[in-house]
Amino acid sequence: VAPNYSMMLQGILALSILYLPGGIVEVTTYSPVLGTSATYLAFITGNLANLKIPCVLNARTLAKTEIGTEANEVISTLAVAFSSITTIVIMAIGVLLLAPLRPILTNEVLAPAFNWVVPALFGALGYQYFKKNPKIILAPLVFIVILAIVSPSFIQRNLPIVIVLSAIVAVLWAKLLHGKNYI
């Protein structure tokens, strides 16, 4: 049975419009930080924004490496590799323990806590970088807060676009601060 090609094309176009800008932005923004090997490994294994990038940034900070150096390439690759291995091990353990833990995890008392896991992780990971550059984060933070107040639905529907806009605001703000010798 052949697929309905017109519907298939509509689906491909719809998904391309939704995910292609985000994919292009991820490659162009993450590649310089990761380096060649880590970029390949990170994009093959996935979950960049939530897991790989924070691991790489933390490893870079601990190892005190600079972007574009061989040391950064090695550290980034190791961070992505260990992050991937850790994810696989934790997922395997989770699969094995899912059945015995199901009554505990579905308890209605614990259910509200699971809604705050991702924001709590991002807050904890973001804080260590925010405290290092408080002047630079001011403009993108104000931009996002205003955007969230004015149109929260825009942020939810267009997250890749919001990320690009925030990155542009951050770069322009940092350039302005640097030009005026504030940083």
Side-chain angles (χ1 to χ4, degrees), residues 2 10 22 34 41 61 68 82 88 90 98-99 119 128-129 139-140 153 160 172 176 182:
Q10 287 175 359
L34 294 171
L41 188 56
T61 301
F82 278 101
I88 291 169
I90 289 173
L98 187 61
Q128 67 179 346
Y129 301 106
S153 61
L172 292 174
L176 177 74
Y182 289 129

Side-chain angles (χ1 to χ4, degrees), residues 31 34-41 73 77:
S31 295
L34 294 171
T36 308
S37 303
T39 298
Y40 173 74
L41 188 56
E73 176 90 19
T77 304

Side-chain angles (χ1 to χ4, degrees), residues 3-22:
N4 183 333
Y5 290 108
S6 66
M7 290 187 77
M8 191 168 82
L9 183 60
Q10 287 175 359
I12 290 170
L13 288 174
L15 290 174
S16 296
I17 290 169
L18 285 174
Y19 293 109
L20 192 60

Side-chain angles (χ1 to χ4, degrees), residues 64-151:
K64 297 180 176 94
T65 60
E66 295 293 323
I67 293 175
T69 62
E70 279 189 38
N72 184 63
E73 176 90 19
V74 171
I75 291 296
S76 297
T77 304
L78 288 172
V80 170
F82 278 101
S83 170
S84 300
I85 291 167
T86 303
T87 302
I88 291 169
V89 169
I90 289 173
M91 287 175 60
I93 292 169
V95 168
L96 293 173
L97 296 177
L98 187 61
L101 291 177
R102 190 166 196 186
I104 297 168
L105 295 175
T106 56
N107 185 334
E108 63 185 53
V109 174
L110 294 178
F114 290 115
N115 294 334
W116 293 101
V117 170
V118 173
L121 287 173
F122 273 112
L125 290 170
Y127 174 73
Q128 67 179 346
Y129 301 106
F130 295 160
K131 72 178 181 180
K132 292 178 186 175
N133 300 303
K135 292 177 185 175
I136 294 176
I137 65 149
L138 183 63
L141 184 62
V142 168
F143 172 73
I144 292 295
V145 168
I146 291 171
L147 192 59
I149 291 169
V150 173
S151 180

Side-chain angles (χ1 to χ4, degrees), residues 23-40 42-43 48 53 56 60 67-68 72-73 76:
I24 292 170
V25 167
E26 281 187 346
V27 171
T28 55
T29 55
Y30 295 153
S31 295
V33 174
L34 294 171
T36 308
S37 303
T39 298
Y40 173 74
F43 277 90
L48 274 78
I53 298 301
V56 167
R60 254 190 56 220
I67 293 175
N72 184 63
E73 176 90 19
S76 297

